[in-house]
Amino acid sequence: MSVTDETLWLAQTLRLELDATVDARTRELARAWSSAWEELADEWQAAIADLLTGDEWPTRAQVVRAERARKALAATRQAFDDLARQIGVTVTSDMPAMAEAIAAWQQRLVASELPSGAVFDWTRMDAKALEAIVKRTTKQIEAASRRLPREQAAVMKQALIRGVAVGDNPRTAAKLMLDRLGGVFDGGRRRAETIARTEMLDASRRAAQAARIANKGIITGWRWHATMSDRTCPVCLVMDGTVFPPEAFGPEDHPNGRCVGVPLTVSWRDLGFDIDEPADVTPDAHDWYDRQPTSVQNNIMGAERAQRLRNGDLAWSDLVVRRDNPDWRPSYHLVPLKAA
């Protein structure tokens, strides 16, 4: 069960390849969102011009009754509906190929922990497991996307009703209002990207889980692996190195989380190789953190939490907790300082 330099390199390469796939799909969503706003902007500009005919921004009732504003809102709701449906199409199109690739990566990671040239039995993920992953991911995306059109359209309506301080220049006011509405619309894009990215990453974890379960004769578990830098999420840093059984799903990190699980094999002697294994080279995240300057520790943990860790008032085991989420899945969270 020795993680090697090759294992760590493969884990990093896997993460980069996943990022490339996910980034390509989120760019598609961003282009679709931008195109939709370009079509809606003229409608909203006309609606705002109609509302700015007086010296003051109209009342809520006047805004709601304004014909152009109503048309702009209806067009926006339709655009959100169309874009929400596109999230599922964009994500699931890659799912079968991505899941099969992830399963193959598990085999490569296992091979990197065994003697060079070792031959071992490997069971490929079957069609039913792949179908289950695609079905689950589709269901998750549909559940998350279904709320998006209604919620975002409501926020845009509220932004319109709140209005702007017209002042002496209605043209400036119109641009300010249009920019505000564009910002709200773009907030929907960011949420859509989070849905797409998170569900694609979780689908890759389901594929890795299926591969581990199919090969429990050689895989004894998996280890949480985070990339360590001054931008690493504190929860991921704390969880790095934690070992789970092969059938456990994970890493159960935050939305957009990019941590990966590194499979761990049985010992070489248990596999029939009468050879001493090399030392495991997995870096210790806690040791890495302790060696960082105060500025980096503060950046990762926050100044007060970092100081309490340095003082010994907090232990690493006090920092995170696993919580259920009925609308998504369990995930690990940072314990608030007042509860630590």
Side-chain angles (χ1 to χ4, degrees):
M1 192 180 75
S2 295
V3 169
T4 65
D5 287 329
E6 182 186 2
T7 311
L8 297 178
W9 178 82
L10 287 170
Q12 178 69 3
T13 305
L14 165 58
R15 191 184 68 76
L16 292 174
E17 287 202 4
L18 263 177
D19 279 351
T21 300
V22 172
D23 286 348
R25 294 298 159 256
T26 52
R27 281 195 297 270
E28 284 184 31
L29 290 175
R31 286 192 293 268
W33 231 263
S34 177
S35 177
W37 179 245
E38 286 177 8
E39 293 180 11
L40 289 168
D42 289 343
E43 186 76 31
W44 277 111
Q45 196 163 25
I48 293 166
D50 275 4
L51 293 170
L52 281 169
T53 54
D55 294 332
E56 295 182 356
W57 188 259
T59 66
R60 177 189 180 100
Q62 289 171 326
V63 170
V64 172
R65 288 198 302 268
E67 184 62 25
R68 285 243 177 159
R70 287 165 59 186
K71 286 183 177 178
L73 280 168
T76 300
R77 280 192 290 267
Q78 183 60 55
F80 276 130
D81 282 335
D82 295 341
L83 289 165
R85 283 191 292 271
Q86 187 167 342
I87 300 172
V89 174
T90 299
V91 171
T92 55
S93 63
D94 272 341
M95 203 59 60
M98 187 181 75
E100 290 182 353
I102 292 299
W105 271 102
Q106 298 301 299
Q107 184 177 9
R108 293 180 66 186
L109 286 162
V110 165
S112 72
E113 299 175 26
L114 301 179
S116 179
V119 177
F120 57 94
D121 292 330
W122 183 261
T123 303
R124 295 186 60 183
M125 181 173 58
D126 63 27
K128 287 185 178 180
L130 176 58
E131 182 181 346
I133 291 167
V134 174
K135 185 176 180 179
R136 182 187 181 95
T137 303
T138 302
K139 183 178 179 181
Q140 288 290 107
I141 291 171
E142 287 176 351
S145 302
R146 197 177 297 121
R147 299 187 295 271
L148 188 60
R150 182 179 65 255
E151 293 173 359
Q152 290 300 126
V155 173
M156 289 196 76
K157 183 176 180 179
Q158 285 302 112
L160 181 66
I161 288 170
R162 282 197 301 270
V164 294
V166 177
D168 296 327
N169 192 334
R171 184 174 298 178
T172 300
K175 183 179 184 307
L176 177 62
M177 191 67 228
L178 189 64
D179 288 346
R180 181 184 295 177
L181 290 167
V184 174
F185 191 86
D186 196 54
R189 173 191 61 79
R190 292 191 293 272
R191 286 185 60 191
E193 288 180 355
T194 295
I195 292 168
R197 177 178 293 276
T198 302
E199 295 307 330
M200 289 184 78
L201 291 170
D202 270 7
S204 75
R205 292 165 183 150
R206 296 283 173 201
Q209 178 189 32
R212 292 193 302 265
I213 291 172
N215 293 278
K216 288 176 72 172
I218 191 172
I219 296 176
T220 62
W222 61 272
R223 182 182 287 147
W224 188 307
H225 179 69
T227 300
M228 284 172 266
S229 76
D230 60 353
R231 297 176 59 194
T232 301
C233 159
V235 173
C236 296
L237 192 65
V238 172
M239 294 303 297
D240 182 88
T242 308
V243 175
F244 297 83
E247 65 274 9
F249 169 80
E252 291 178 324
D253 59 0
H254 50 80
N256 290 324
R258 302 183 300 168
C259 293
V260 297
V262 174
L264 303 174
T265 68
V266 298
S267 71
W268 288 9
R269 284 189 165 80
D270 285 343
L271 289 171
F273 300 105
D274 191 19
I275 314 172
D276 290 333
E277 294 187 41
D280 191 310
V281 300
T282 302
D284 186 306
H286 301 182
D287 177 65
W288 174 87
Y289 174 85
D290 288 341
R291 289 186 282 102
Q292 301 310 302
T294 298
S295 59
V296 172
Q297 293 180 352
N298 291 348
N299 188 53
I300 292 173
M301 292 291 178
E304 184 179 349
R305 186 177 284 105
Q307 186 60 53
R308 289 175 66 178
L309 277 170
R310 287 191 291 270
N311 293 345
D313 298 330
L314 274 180
W316 283 79
S317 57
D318 299 326
L319 296 179
V320 301
V321 61
R322 184 178 184 268
R323 292 181 182 149
D324 288 328
N325 183 336
D327 295 325
W328 183 39
R329 62 156 169 79
S331 58
Y332 287 86
H333 296 260
L334 202 60
V335 175
L337 275 172
K338 61 183 180 181

